[in-house]
Amino acid sequence: MKKIVVFCLLASFMFSCGSKKAVTKKKSSSRTKTEQVVIRKEPRVNSGSKENQEEVVNGVEVKITSTDEYIALFRGIAQEEMRLYGIPASITLAQGILESNSGKGRLAVEANNHFGIKCHDWTGDKIYHDDDASQECFRKYNDSKYSYRDHSLFLTQRSRYAALFKLKKEDYKGWARELRNAGYATDRKYPEKLISLIERYRLNKYDEEVLGDVYVKYEDEIGDFSIYYVERGDTMYSISKKFNISVEELKAVNNLSTTSLSVGQKLKIDKNLKETVAVTSKPKASVQTVTPNRYHIVGKGETLYSISKRYDMTVSELQKMNGLKDNALNIGQQLQVRPAN
């Protein structure tokens, strides 16, 4: 009887061990399935992890902190691309500002990629970044200037952008709208954003510098008036002095009740550029015309070319009248623009 009891206990113990082993095997099989390693077809490129990483512009490491700094760094590159590929510098700069967050975006800082150009058939270095989808592949450049060159090639080598190059180089509004029409961006407000940046920072002046005498301003003239775009630091008084008109006339022409201004605001300026004196002591202000000044005070952003056009003369005439040997000007410099009587 004891032998029978011992045999039964031994059999029960062996069955219990067998069950545990089966369970263990099953768990091990399940773990193997969930821990599969998926190898990327394109390995990740180390995009750098150091803090305050700087991007490279023309071989020099820089850290950009403002839009004005961005424009100062890239305007020359954008102008060179305009000369070579016919894309307005104003458009290229505005796209760079918008798409790279003025050079402060991750793709710009870590990959010198200012236009968000994806890999496609790219064989160079890459960076992975969340965009329309998770961890999309973007091109990585050794220098930001190559991002600008790739942007030029991107537009000139794709047939869907052919209509852009039928537009005048001065017509930045047309370029902004056609980029959206051609499918460059899905944002319906993309053209307005580019136009706003161009007018706020007067980026079209860089187009004018490239085109020179053939430049024709678009929508910068209304009847007997030209248009001035308010810049940072401008006041109603400084603008009135720049164009030799009174503050009161400037307000009256633009239907303004105060002297408050905003950057990018459009102001109408009398093309005749005559100095006026406003008489405000009477109920109805009258304006008396005075002989135009012989001198012009150089304002921010002005060039010999822009000043010569304003006074209907050539650059060489302006240089000769003022004894200038080159085109260099300083803000506040006095230039003679009319001969002595």
Side-chain angles (χ1 to χ4, degrees), residues 94-107:
Q95 287 187 282
I97 292 168
L98 182 61
E99 295 172 31
S100 74
N101 187 24
S102 296
K104 298 190 289 290
R106 179 178 177 244
L107 289 177

Side-chain angles (χ1 to χ4, degrees), residues 70 92 95-101 105-109 111-120 127 129-132 136-141 144 146-148 150-151 154 158 160-161 184-185 190:
Y70 185 93
T92 303
Q95 287 187 282
I97 292 168
L98 182 61
E99 295 172 31
S100 74
N101 187 24
R106 179 178 177 244
L107 289 177
V109 174
N112 294 307
N113 188 334
H114 287 246
F115 300 93
I117 299 180
K118 297 180 181 179
C119 288
H120 302 298
I127 183 172
H129 179 74
D130 292 346
D131 192 50
D132 296 328
E136 290 191 272
C137 182
F138 291 85
R139 301 181 183 190
K140 184 176 181 180
Y141 307 92
S144 297
Y146 300 128
S147 173
Y148 270 69
D150 219 9
H151 170 267
F154 185 86
R158 286 166 171 75
R160 63 175 173 163
Y161 297 115
Y184 186 93
Y190 189 76

Side-chain angles (χ1 to χ4, degrees), residues 5 34 65 79 81 87 103 108 143 159 180 246 269 286 308 311 340:
V5 171
T34 59
T65 59
Q79 286 179 312
E81 294 302 307
I87 302 166
D143 194 305
S159 58
R180 169 74 174 80
S246 71
I269 307 294
S286 61
S308 68
Y311 294 97

Side-chain angles (χ1 to χ4, degrees), residues 20 63 153 237 281 314 318 336:
K20 287 182 179 179
K63 185 177 180 181
L153 296 174
Y237 177 76
S281 58
T314 66
L318 190 56
Q336 184 177 340

Side-chain angles (χ1 to χ4, degrees), residues 266-280:
K266 295 179 181 180
L267 292 178
K268 292 189 291 186
I269 307 294
D270 191 337
K271 286 182 182 178
N272 295 322
L273 300 172
K274 293 179 179 178
E275 184 181 66
T276 58
V277 177
V279 181
T280 57

Side-chain angles (χ1 to χ4, degrees), residues 202 205 208 213 217 220-221 224-229 231 234 238-245 267-274 292-293 295-315 317-318 329 333 335-338:
R202 295 198 66 196
K205 67 185 176 184
E208 183 175 359
D213 291 342
K217 290 186 179 180
D220 274 359
E221 295 187 353
D224 294 328
F225 301 94
S226 58
I227 298 300
Y228 176 77
Y229 295 93
E231 299 178 342
D234 278 340
S238 68
I239 295 171
S240 71
K241 289 299 181 184
K242 181 179 292 187
F243 294 103
N244 297 321
I245 60 177
L267 292 178
K268 292 189 291 186
I269 307 294
D270 191 337
K271 286 182 182 178
N272 295 322
L273 300 172
K274 293 179 179 178
N293 285 345
Y295 297 96
H296 173 83
I297 305 300
V298 177
K300 182 180 178 181
E302 289 189 312
T303 64
L304 279 179
Y305 175 76
S306 65
I307 295 170
S308 68
K309 290 300 180 186
R310 180 172 297 160
Y311 294 97
D312 193 24
M313 59 195 305
T314 66
V315 170
E317 287 173 339
L318 190 56
L329 293 176
Q333 181 177 348
L335 294 178
Q336 184 177 340
V337 292
R338 293 184 179 89

